[in-house]
Amino acid sequence: MTSHNMTWISYPSKSQVFTSPEEIEAVIASQNIISRLMHCYIAFFVPTGLIAGTCILIIFIRNHLQNRRASLDLLLLHFTISNIIMIFLSFTVIARPDYLTATHLACSVLSFLFNFGYFNSHYVFILTLLTLLLERFPPWTALCKATQKPILCIGLVLTCTFCLSLTEALLVGTDNYQLEADCQLDPLFAWPEYEIVKFAFGFGIPTLLQILCFTVLWAKEAAAGAPALQQHIRTYPAVYAISVTIFICRLFYNVMILFRTTLKLQRSIGTTKNELVMNIAEIVLFCESCASLVVVLCFHKPCKDEVLQVIQKCRRKNHANNHLEIPETATAHQSGSQ
């Protein structure tokens, strides 16, 4: 693989000279859209995602300490941690419509951390789907034994994720590491191979595995004594809802990643509209991390039961306080009338 000189590339909003009023208005409108989307994401999605993630961590850790351990919960705990990392890294969009200014080396480090969370969350989710699939089709003894050791499986996922993230960090480019540039978590100045590898291993292969799991789930006849398919889906609604969310959000993001690669191969920086859509795709990807955590908290049974118990306790306390306030008020009225 040969090295690429990517010093020519830059963002259209920062490099093009706009002369006509229409072009200037288009740039201003584009930046307004990016800014509003960023503020909506920071104001609504980030707090919701972090609160949901914190609650999930507390519930899973407490259940683990009480020896209520399940392989699915360990996988979802790992999935939760990955998405929380993604949310914290998403604070890099606060500068929009501008970009962070950092050296190529610092941007490569941010990209490594981002890709680690990105790859990790998707692959551990595929492992979760495989675990649920094998509950209905136990004859695959070798795979069944493997999924019964979630720590070993998570270790394998972490190893693969680390290797892929390191590869992506190298594909950002090792030249000009001391130079400063506008930085995104997927750097604009990365080599074209960066986006190709990310699409293949971060979306293409995981999506094929996801489709394969669903195809077997729907087409293959379950083992004797296994629950019906509808009952199985009702038992684990969070996993299937997250699957749809991940596919939709990451499809949009990866299509834009490939489109950016096409522009690089054509040695074109694109237009401000292309830049706008890429920024929207990035924010949508971060929204997916927040939405996935909310789905786990609201639909995964151990989390949902804990939330319902907390709500019931709060209602009982409010009901008890209301009963205590009524006699005191009545007593005060009686003493006043005397």
Side-chain angles (χ1 to χ4, degrees), residues 31-106:
Q31 291 184 344
N32 283 337
I33 292 172
I34 296 171
S35 180
R36 289 175 183 176
L37 286 174
M38 181 272 295
H39 283 100
C40 289
Y41 169 73
I42 295 296
F44 299 107
F45 283 89
V46 169
T48 305
L50 290 178
I51 291 170
T54 303
C55 292
I56 294 167
L57 290 178
I58 292 171
I59 292 169
F60 281 163
I61 291 173
R62 189 174 67 178
N63 288 348
H64 184 77
L65 293 176
Q66 294 175 352
N67 292 324
R68 290 185 290 177
R69 303 170 184 175
S71 59
L72 180 63
D73 288 354
L74 286 175
L75 295 175
L76 288 177
L77 174 62
H78 189 70
F79 178 77
T80 300
I81 294 172
S82 298
N83 280 286
I84 290 175
I85 293 172
M86 291 275 285
I87 293 173
F88 280 119
L89 288 171
S90 73
F91 282 110
T92 55
V93 304
I94 290 177
R96 303 297 159 81
D98 203 353
Y99 298 90
L100 290 176
T101 301
T103 63
H104 284 215
L105 179 61

Side-chain angles (χ1 to χ4, degrees), residues 7 42 75 116 141 203 212 234 255 259 273 276 318 322 332:
T7 55
I42 295 296
L75 295 175
F116 191 87
T141 53
F203 182 76
L212 179 62
R234 284 197 298 268
V255 166
F259 181 74
K273 186 177 180 181
L276 167 64
N318 290 333
N322 290 336

Side-chain angles (χ1 to χ4, degrees), residues 166-304:
L166 187 60
T167 302
E168 289 289 81
L170 294 174
L171 291 175
V172 170
T174 55
D175 300 331
N176 305 315
Y177 63 88
Q178 77 283 359
L179 296 180
E180 287 193 345
D182 295 318
C183 180
Q184 273 184 293
L185 293 177
D186 280 319
L188 180 67
F189 54 82
W191 298 350
E193 290 87 351
Y194 174 94
E195 283 96 353
I196 295 171
V197 170
K198 183 155 189 172
F199 176 84
F201 291 94
F203 182 76
I205 293 175
T207 301
L208 287 176
L209 293 174
Q210 199 168 315
I211 292 172
L212 179 62
C213 287
F214 281 117
T215 302
V216 173
L217 182 68
W218 288 92
K220 185 176 174 61
E221 185 177 355
L229 179 59
Q230 292 182 350
Q231 181 182 351
H232 187 265
I233 294 174
R234 284 197 298 268
T235 306
Y236 306 105
V239 176
Y240 299 103
I242 292 171
S243 180
V244 175
T245 304
I246 288 177
F247 176 77
I248 293 173
C249 296
R250 298 202 176 194
L251 175 63
F252 178 38
Y253 182 73
N254 280 272
V255 166
M256 293 311 303
I257 282 286
L258 285 184
F259 181 74
R260 194 170 77 171
T261 307
T262 304
L263 292 176
K264 288 180 181 180
L265 294 174
Q266 296 172 352
R267 294 189 69 83
S268 169
I269 63 173
T271 64
T272 53
K273 186 177 180 181
N274 301 144
E275 184 181 353
L276 167 64
V277 178
M278 187 67 223
N279 277 279
I280 293 173
E282 187 179 33
I283 293 175
V284 168
L285 177 69
F286 293 137
C287 289
E288 175 255 308
S289 296
C290 301
S292 295
L293 295 179
V294 173
V295 169
V296 172
L297 182 65
C298 295
F299 294 101
H300 185 52
K301 192 175 185 308
C303 298
K304 183 175 69 173

